[in-house]
Amino acid sequence: MSNNGRKIKSDWNLIGTPMRKVEGLDKSTGRALYTDDLVFPGMLHGKILRSPHPHARIVSIDTSSAEALDGVHGVVTGQDMPTTYGIIPWTPDEYPLCVDRVRYVGDGVAAVAAVDEDTALRALELIEVEYEELPAFFDPFEALEADGSTPYVHEPKKADWNGNVTKKVHLEFGEVDELMDGSDAVVEGEYFFEGSTHTAIEPHCAIGLWQAGGGFQRQDGESSGKLTVWSATQVPHYLHRELARVLEVDQAHVRVLQPLVGGAFGGKSEPFDLEFCVAKLSMITGRPVKILYTREEVFYAHRGRHPFHMKYRTGATAAGKLTSVDAEIVLDGGAYASFGLVTTYYAGQLLCAPYEMPAYRFDSTRVYTNKPACGPKRGHGSVQPRFAFEVQIDKLSERLDLDPIEFRRLNFIGSNTRTINELRVTSNGFMECLESVERESAWKDRFRKLPFGCGLGVAGSTYITGTNYPIYPNDMPQSGVQMQVDRSGRVAVFSGASEIGQGCDSMVAYIAAEELGVPLDYVRVLRGDTDFTPVDLGAYSSRVTFMVGNAAIDAARKLRGMVQEAVAEEWDVKPGEVLLAGGLALWAPDTERQMHVKEAFNLAEAKFGTLGSTGSYNTPKDVHGEYRGATIGASPAYSFTAHVAEVEVDVETGIVDVKKIWVAHDCGRALNPVLVEGQMEGSAYMGFGEALMEEQVFKDAEHGRAGLHDAPSLLDYRIPTSLDTPELQSLIVESIDPEGPYGAKEAGEGPLHPSIPAIANAIYDAVGVRMDRLPFSPPNVWRALEAAREADTLRKPILNPGAGAPTSTPELVPGD
Amino acid sequence: MLRLPPFRYHRPATVAQAIEVMGEHAGDAMFVAGGTDLIPNMKHRLFEPGHLVALKGIEELRGVRIDDGHLRIGAAETISHVASNPEVLNRFPALADAAGHIAGPQLRNSGTIGGNLCLDTRCTYYNQTAFWREALGYCLKKDGDVCHVIRVGKKCVAAHSADTPPVLMTLDAVATLVGPDGQRSVPVRDFFVADGIVNSRRAPDEIVTELRIPLASAERKQAYAKLRVRKSIDFPLLTVAIAADLDGDGTVRSIEGVVTALGSRPHVLTGWGDVAVGRRLDDQVVDELAERAHKQCHPLENMIVDHEWRRAMVPVYVRRALEKLGAA
Ligand SMILES: Cc1cc2nc3c(=O)[nH]c(=O)nc-3n(C[C@H](O)[C@H](O)[C@H](O)COP(=O)(O)OP(=O)(O)OC[C@H]3O[C@@H](n4cnc5c(N)ncnc54)[C@H](O)[C@@H]3O)c2cc1C
Ligand code: SF4
């Protein structure tokens, strides 16, 4: 990474400059501790027995032989934890282990704790489960048509409902049909986004430790205990709540610790079976119990991107203004709800910027099928519709003979405005994003002008910076940070934020160092422990920098105020004239007057007593409409992105070589540009992988056995290697958000979105072939090329700007 | 992480010792070289030998040298040494190319050429965990009685998936095998049989000790092409190796093409001599050769990648290999 073109901010000492990650050296030297690195005296190893059937009733489970095996200390089944849970409080539909029914190949039915992994595995073989197989649903459309003659994936809540439907959302804004009918051009398209999974490098891992008694005496006289769980989770707070509820332990006696996490991407943002199992097995055995998933189990735990079946109609005037958007979306949810209720809303709600839509309707339905549950993956719920919509815009631009970047400019929604679905948009740097990628890619000289086989494509997007409301309704802050300074000049930051590799520990350290004027290595970030850190809701929906950052500023400034006051008193000056920077307290009018920050802290401690402060952040509540569902998609700020992708298509093989992606992203302010670029590159890489190769797919009855994961390994589930990865150029755009910490918004998820449609649009520019189905894998592209050859449409599309508007009668352009 | 089944690990110093240890544990032992194929397969419970006999520590099995009109490659020589050896690069560039395209750098540093020759066949219904295969109901090759690729009949068609054997075949390489009954030579061309369960003529207690390539083969124009999705790590979806003797003016005296990653053994393309001998490799000839290859190759659904596409790629990759050969 170079410093080229990177603005070095002068308003702050550290903020805006390239800085190391606080845990970077530990990670690169191997010193960093992940959950599986932890070993405790007497620790047992657990394994989970999983269902070999996609849908079956559990008739009986006999664990006696397993229990009798030498070295086995405990066995649990669903009956031991018969309480449902679910990350969304309205859809608890999972048991820690299945109680009476299994719903996908890989669903957990029993767990064993033994002296070592091999003994635990032998014990699993001794557990006898009798199943009664049930007909299963694999296709979401078939699941939608189910009439109850065979068991639904879940029992319906009401007798006449289809139990295969998780959620249906229908929302309509403006005069959709009227405006569509009055459009000069309407493009209609059908799109399919194949499911994909997260492939975080660290498999899920958890350790449970039950300390009976533990000094706690319950009111009813029974002795209780204390439960500690270490887990590679991205939501320690929600895990804390669910462990207490499901295992019936007082929440005050549950402690969740989160060691460093080796990537998550949304795949660790809800409780999983292993966390309950290690806890329960420890309660039974009285010993610490560890479970580490195999890679195969990670594929079964899944919660990755939903397959989306999408239909879009998009209208525009001859002058290139969007008129109306109509969407119909079916989400293939897999066996459990997970975050699905939210996904069903996000599928529609997050589309309404950065372009102005005079009218918009979406109909979104999430369906249960007998496959591993889908959930949130980087860009939750909005990557799929964004793909379809940005391709729609490309088609519409072509139909209207407009340059697609120009089309996007024409429809820019602006800043400080509301979307058609009434979401408040504040800062918006989308126009700068478009300009950056247009300039850097030499778009004007090259779009539609490269030789046949080579092409450029553009796409734009927006994403939330955190959700406005917590997952369970409450009025408490979304984030809290606690700070204390000591006599050595050191600052301790107690942060509940979930470090999953994205850099949030570093972010709070930068803020503490900036605000209190200490060198960065004077800051200790104490983290990942619900016993001593204030609550943060978790690392999801790109909320952490914005929310925890604001909480950290709040805490730091309270402390700074005290230090300034104490120093001002000593120097007999105004507190506002005291600066804290570079390890010193300085008098602004004459910086020769200074003292070491440690002395300043000591003065403050002498004046105020022991120094500590707390800070918190909660979202503004007037940023959305009043209709049902209006709060879902509401965020205190939105990020904006534009990509241009350059591809070369091998027309004989269908192999698409993505040569370069220009990634421009409005992150509000880059607190540390190195970390922002890392997120931008990582996002573009991940989108590129989904575009070209990733697919979480299953065998069917003609291929072995229906419902079996096609390839639950990283050899066959292909993600790009470094050799496959295109050159990525990050172009940071800073719109300085009025409410973000120093103006910052998110950078972790937004920059993924446009990769996929930009590549699709580039393929069209290269060979005139539309790829409306993911992935653009060589066989899929080859099939599309063959079809185009057959139809004699395989050629470079022509750019004909200003060729005149189409006739005023709306003409349907079928999305091939 | 997947666990390995328990086994005892033996480290003989000589081939003779290795054969002896193997004899002591007959039926319950396997040779291991780099382990890059065998170890994952053991984790999948495809093999559960009680004893592993390591070959990499045996000095006789290492080294690349010229001797007796041949290039002799010790069977336990690593793939990365074969790919970077100057003699291999100069005389047998297609072999270096094929070796350099195997798996990824770490696997090439530990995998061996002997292991590549003896690589187990691969199939989407076979290279899976014990749990997955149990859910499937197993298959003919291991623990079951049906083939999920060819659902009628009792034949396993798992794919031969090694990169170097097709090249070795076009270079007339010969493998030396040593077993309890002594030594024998088997041309690589005759090494494989059309049975996906065990696809070679090597007996379980025989060691491949070396590969010998006649130096005369270095006179041939050679080319190799590999189809895969990613630029590293992936096994071949199709491999084409071609070698030809050309006259000074480019007239073909002899030509041979071998493709693999289709069925259980590499396939020698037939009828190529009829097309090309006495002619130059011009566009017309290249097209005819590619067409012949296309007619003969029928990829099966033993891999998760679209078999119709793989079939369509046969003439494309044959053409590309021939173009490389022409340019060599
Ligand atoms: C992720 C991954 C990707 C891969 N990609 C490729 C690829 O692209 N192309 C490719 O060709 N291969 C590939 N492989 C397979 C493997 O790495 C290579 O084929 C390698 O050359 C095998 O050599 P080895 O020494 O590791 O074999 P081992 O695993 O040690 O042995 C393989 C088999 O051969 C037997 N054996 C080994 N040496 C001898 C000997 N001298 N005499 C008798 N029997 C012997 C063993 O008993 C065992 O049955 C890949 C493997 C992995 C894990
Ligand atoms: S080809 Fe058939 S028998 Fe052979 S491994 Fe594959 S499924 Fe099994």
Side-chain angles (χ1 to χ4, degrees):
Chain A
M1 259 176 284
S2 74
N3 262 339
N4 284 351
R6 186 190 285 152
K7 264 191 281 177
I8 306 288
K9 291 283 159 212
S10 55
D11 327 16
W12 312 96
N13 289 305
L14 297 173
I15 295 301
T17 67
M19 286 170 280
R20 66 173 176 80
K21 252 178 159 170
V22 295
E23 84 288 9
L25 194 63
D26 280 350
K27 282 182 174 168
S28 50
T29 56
R31 281 195 309 239
L33 295 180
Y34 297 88
T35 306
D36 188 43
D37 292 319
L38 306 180
V39 173
F40 296 96
M43 189 173 83
L44 301 173
H45 294 269
K47 292 283 173 196
I48 298 173
L49 182 70
R50 300 190 175 279
S51 161
H53 305 295
H55 200 186
R57 223 183 293 285
I58 299 174
V59 178
S60 66
I61 306 183
D62 181 354
T63 61
S64 53
S65 312
E67 274 163 279
L69 184 71
D70 231 21
V72 171
H73 286 252
V75 181
V76 290
T77 67
Q79 300 296 349
D80 297 305
M81 297 176 275
T83 306
T84 53
Y85 68 93
I87 184 71
I88 303 293
W90 295 276
T91 54
D93 62 358
E94 287 184 74
Y95 292 101
L97 292 168
C98 297
V99 173
D100 51 8
R101 189 134 54 110
V102 292
R103 292 184 168 85
Y104 68 95
V105 174
D107 222 353
V109 291
V112 170
V115 286
D116 55 32
E117 286 182 273
D118 292 335
T119 308
L121 286 170
R122 266 199 302 282
L124 292 191
E125 286 172 18
L126 297 175
I127 297 176
E128 278 171 38
V129 186
E130 194 189 324
Y131 293 102
E132 177 198 330
E133 283 190 63
L134 300 170
F137 297 95
F138 302 109
D139 177 77
F141 295 98
E142 279 171 24
L144 265 178
E145 277 160 21
D147 56 6
S149 55
T150 65
Y152 295 113
V153 181
H154 289 274
E155 293 311 317
K157 288 204 186 83
K158 288 188 186 161
D160 57 336
W161 285 11
N162 179 346
N164 291 342
V165 175
T166 322
K167 180 75 190 168
K168 258 181 190 297
V169 177
H170 180 97
L171 284 172
E172 192 161 345
F173 310 94
E175 305 295 327
V176 175
D177 293 323
E178 236 165 75
L179 285 172
M180 196 71 81
D181 290 345
S183 302
D184 296 322
V186 173
V187 166
E188 194 172 273
E190 235 185 285
Y191 301 85
F192 176 62
F193 197 112
E194 187 56 272
S196 67
T197 199
H198 317 82
T199 64
I201 209 71
E202 179 201 27
H204 303 57
C205 184
I207 302 169
L209 173 63
W210 172 252
Q211 288 159 303
F216 300 108
Q217 201 66 30
R218 276 178 16 181
Q219 300 258 300
D220 55 16
E222 264 188 64
S223 81
S224 179
K226 187 175 171 185
L227 176 66
T228 307
V229 172
W230 290 259
S231 181
T233 177
Q234 54 190 120
V235 286
H237 176 64
Y238 295 128
L239 177 59
H240 186 190
R241 288 167 52 86
E242 291 300 87
L243 282 170
R245 198 174 61 76
V246 172
L247 299 171
E248 298 175 341
V249 182
D250 186 338
Q251 209 179 317
H253 297 167
V254 178
R255 178 183 188 190
V256 174
L257 290 114
Q258 177 206 49
L260 288 174
V261 176
F265 309 110
K268 297 171 180 166
S269 48
E270 59 201 280
F272 288 90
D273 57 10
L274 81 168
E275 290 155 327
F276 298 105
C277 289
V278 293
K280 191 72 188 177
L281 285 167
S282 183
M283 291 167 92
I284 290 172
T285 61
R287 290 168 63 163
V289 179
K290 179 193 278 181
I291 295 182
L292 169 69
Y293 274 174
T294 61
R295 178 58 61 181
E296 182 184 20
E297 287 179 290
V298 178
F299 278 99
Y300 298 152
H302 191 44
R303 320 289 151 152
R305 221 181 283 302
H306 291 69
F308 268 34
H309 300 262
M310 302 173 278
K311 283 187 192 157
Y312 276 86
R313 281 199 307 146
T314 313
T317 66
K321 294 284 268 182
L322 284 172
T323 50
S324 186
V325 178
D326 191 3
E328 219 178 286
I329 303 169
V330 172
L331 294 72
D332 184 351
Y336 295 102
S338 176
F339 278 84
L341 184 143
V342 176
T343 323
T344 317
Y345 274 105
Y346 277 5
Q349 286 289 71
L350 298 185
L351 200 68
C352 299
Y355 317 115
E356 189 161 18
M357 289 180 187
Y360 178 43
R361 170 166 67 213
F362 72 88
D363 198 289
S364 169
T365 307
R366 185 186 192 269
V367 188
Y368 287 120
T369 49
N370 291 106
K371 296 180 282 191
C374 299
K377 177 177 166 185
R378 204 173 195 175
H380 180 194
S382 94
V383 168
Q384 303 96 320
R386 185 55 67 181
F387 154 64
F389 189 63
E390 295 290 320
V391 173
Q392 283 280 105
I393 289 194
D394 210 60
K395 293 177 180 172
L396 208 42
S397 307
E398 185 178 41
R399 173 94 188 89
L400 295 168
D401 284 316
L402 282 166
D403 176 292
I405 292 189
E406 202 44 47
F407 187 100
R408 286 171 169 84
R409 275 200 193 97
L410 277 171
N411 289 284
F412 178 54
I413 195 169
S415 44
N416 302 313
T417 181
R418 293 249 172 186
T419 60
I420 182 84
N421 57 348
E422 299 179 56
L423 302 175
R424 181 196 72 164
V425 173
T426 52
S427 61
N428 185 344
F430 184 60
M431 288 295 244
E432 290 89 319
C433 292
L434 278 178
E435 263 153 46
S436 303
V437 292
E438 183 181 51
R439 183 184 63 244
E440 294 297 318
S441 67
W443 175 269
K444 284 187 181 137
D445 301 330
R446 305 202 302 144
F447 176 66
R448 293 281 190 268
K449 292 174 189 150
L450 292 170
F452 174 71
C454 299
L456 287 181
V458 67
S461 69
T462 183
Y463 200 64
I464 52 175
T465 302
T467 56
N468 230 67
Y469 294 88
I471 287 171
Y472 66 98
N474 72 75
D475 294 327
M476 291 175 279
Q478 288 224 18
S479 293
V481 168
Q482 191 177 330
M483 279 188 203
Q484 84 188 31
V485 299
D486 82 7
R487 296 174 185 184
S488 65
R490 194 183 61 211
V491 181
V493 182
F494 298 86
S495 167
S498 294
E499 177 61 69
I500 55 172
Q502 85 280 41
C504 66
D505 286 354
S506 303
M507 183 270 300
V508 293
Y510 304 152
I511 289 174
E514 178 71 53
E515 294 294 331
L516 295 168
V518 299
L520 191 53
D521 60 4
Y522 271 37
V523 183
R524 300 281 188 285
V525 182
L526 300 146
R527 52 166 301 278
D529 186 338
T530 58
D531 261 15
F532 64 71
T533 64
V535 168
D536 175 64
L537 297 180
Y540 61 93
S541 79
S542 281
R543 51 182 297 289
V544 174
T545 292
F546 199 96
M547 301 192 185
V548 180
N550 273 325
I553 290 178
D554 184 26
R557 287 192 182 158
K558 286 175 188 162
L559 275 180
R560 189 180 70 185
M562 290 192 263
V563 177
Q564 283 172 312
E565 204 179 318
V567 175
E569 192 175 283
E570 173 80 6
W571 285 340
D572 197 17
V573 300
K574 295 196 192 92
E577 292 172 353
V578 176
L579 305 177
L580 298 178
L584 299 168
L586 308 138
W587 186 45
D590 173 10
T591 53
E592 292 293 293
R593 192 161 185 191
Q594 49 174 246
M595 68 172 79
H596 194 279
V597 74
K598 162 178 141 179
E599 284 172 60
F601 289 177
N602 291 354
L603 286 173
E605 189 175 335
K607 181 171 167 64
F608 296 105
T610 301
L611 294 176
S613 72
T614 57
S616 52
Y617 173 80
N618 211 347
T619 46
K621 301 300 179 206
D622 55 348
V623 302
H624 51 77
E626 292 298 328
Y627 58 93
R628 188 184 166 87
T631 58
I632 306 186
S635 173
Y638 296 86
S639 75
F640 295 91
T641 314
H643 287 192
V644 165
E646 180 170 352
V647 304
E648 196 175 327
V649 180
D650 182 332
V651 290
E652 275 189 309
T653 62
I655 294 174
V656 176
D657 183 10
V658 180
K659 308 198 91 61
K660 182 161 182 176
I661 306 177
W662 290 266
V663 184
H665 180 70
D666 166 24
C667 65
R669 186 195 292 278
L671 301 183
N672 177 355
V674 181
L675 292 192
V676 171
E677 285 173 1
Q679 288 299 321
M680 291 166 68
E681 289 175 10
S683 291
Y685 160 85
M686 201 171 227
F688 156 75
E690 292 184 64
L692 257 62
M693 38 184 101
E694 292 187 42
E695 32 186 351
Q696 166 111 343
V697 288
F698 300 84
K699 304 266 185 230
D700 56 28
E702 278 73 54
H703 295 87
R705 182 170 189 197
L708 259 187
H709 194 292
D710 208 23
S713 81
L714 289 180
L715 177 60
D716 291 325
Y717 179 95
R718 296 188 174 91
I719 61 172
T721 70
S722 52
L723 289 181
D724 304 302
T725 306
E727 185 183 347
L728 301 167
Q729 186 177 340
S730 296
L731 302 155
I732 294 176
V733 169
E734 298 183 308
S735 61
I736 314 299
D737 188 78
E739 295 173 19
Y742 311 100
K745 301 188 285 191
E746 74 89 36
E749 302 189 77
L752 189 153
H753 292 70
S755 298
I756 300 160
I759 292 169
N761 294 338
I763 292 172
Y764 182 73
D765 184 40
V767 292
V769 170
R770 286 287 176 200
M771 293 304 299
D772 293 344
R773 293 174 71 85
L774 280 171
F776 319 141
S777 60
N780 290 352
V781 175
W782 169 76
R783 285 181 185 279
L785 289 164
E786 288 295 297
R789 250 188 286 266
E790 192 85 349
D792 196 25
T793 54
L794 189 63
R795 68 178 68 87
K796 188 86 191 167
I798 314 159
L799 176 64
N800 211 1
T807 53
S808 58
T809 37
E811 207 178 305
L812 287 185
V813 182
D816 26 305
Chain B
M1 241 194 294
L2 290 174
R3 300 285 303 166
L4 272 170
F7 58 87
R8 270 201 68 175
Y9 189 68
H10 304 268
R11 297 208 297 189
T14 63
V15 170
Q17 276 176 20
I19 305 267
E20 199 185 308
V21 179
M22 195 65 169
E24 282 165 22
H25 305 287
D28 191 26
M30 286 179 81
F31 295 119
V32 64
T36 59
D37 178 46
L38 184 58
I39 298 296
N41 287 352
M42 286 171 66
K43 286 190 163 190
H44 286 171
R45 300 299 198 263
L46 299 171
F47 299 99
E48 297 183 66
H51 300 264
L52 283 189
V53 182
L55 302 181
K56 257 180 125 178
I58 300 177
E59 209 36 55
E60 309 158 57
L61 298 179
R62 306 298 292 256
V64 180
R65 61 187 186 282
I66 292 190
D67 184 22
D68 199 16
H70 286 80
L71 182 80
R72 303 174 59 165
I73 307 175
E77 201 44 81
T78 64
I79 294 293
S80 44
H81 279 162
V82 173
S84 61
N85 180 280
E87 296 293 350
V88 178
L89 280 164
N90 285 335
R91 295 171 197 265
F92 306 111
L95 178 60
D97 201 13
H101 277 81
I102 290 175
Q106 296 91 335
L107 291 158
R108 288 196 293 272
N109 286 341
S110 107
T112 66
I113 185 97
N116 198 237
L117 189 71
C118 301
L119 185 78
D120 193 13
T121 54
R122 299 185 61 84
C123 174
T124 174
Y125 300 105
Y126 171 72
N127 296 102
Q128 302 278 5
T129 65
F131 169 77
W132 193 99
R133 291 183 299 109
E134 183 204 332
L136 170 74
Y138 304 105
C139 81
L140 206 58
K141 185 162 158 72
K142 176 75 182 151
D143 302 331
D145 48 19
V146 286
C147 169
H148 303 279
V149 177
I150 305 208
R151 278 176 290 171
V152 289
K154 287 278 174 196
K155 193 165 150 42
C156 168
V157 290
H160 174 262
S161 302
D163 279 288
T164 64
V167 180
L168 293 167
M169 287 163 74
T170 63
L171 299 175
D172 294 332
V174 176
T176 305
L177 274 68
V178 176
D181 301 331
Q183 179 175 325
R184 60 180 179 133
S185 290
V186 180
V188 175
R189 197 185 308 276
D190 302 330
F191 187 76
F192 298 103
V193 296
D195 176 358
I197 297 178
V198 178
N199 78 335
S200 88
R201 297 190 199 278
R202 181 183 71 86
D205 55 359
E206 274 184 308
I207 300 178
V208 177
T209 55
E210 69 172 359
L211 286 152
R212 275 177 297 136
I213 312 174
L215 293 182
S217 298
E219 303 302 315
R220 296 188 190 161
K221 297 273 186 199
Q222 311 154 23
Y224 158 87
K226 174 175 182 172
L227 175 66
R228 56 179 169 180
V229 173
R230 293 184 290 188
K231 297 196 178 95
S232 186
I233 300 179
D234 290 345
F235 277 96
L237 299 171
L238 174 72
T239 277
V240 182
I242 302 173
D245 286 309
L246 305 182
D247 281 337
D249 65 351
T251 307
V252 175
R253 266 186 284 136
S254 74
I255 186 163
E256 185 171 42
V258 180
V259 292
T260 200
L262 305 167
S264 296
R265 64 170 170 181
H267 172 72
V268 180
L269 293 164
T270 59
W272 270 30
D274 304 346
V275 170
V277 170
R279 298 166 75 186
R280 276 187 236 174
L281 291 172
D282 55 20
D283 290 353
Q284 174 67 28
V285 173
V286 166
D287 279 347
E288 285 177 37
L289 290 173
E291 191 44 42
R292 291 244 163 171
H294 193 205
K295 286 219 177 90
Q296 294 169 36
C297 296
H298 301 276
L300 302 163
E301 292 186 86
N302 47 14
M303 297 180 190
I304 53 174
V305 179
D306 188 339
H307 66 293
E308 289 177 14
W309 173 69
R310 280 163 58 218
R311 170 140 207 257
M313 291 307 103
V314 171
V316 175
Y317 275 70
V318 165
R319 225 180 284 122
R320 287 181 183 187
L322 285 166
E323 277 157 19
K324 254 201 218 173
L325 183 133

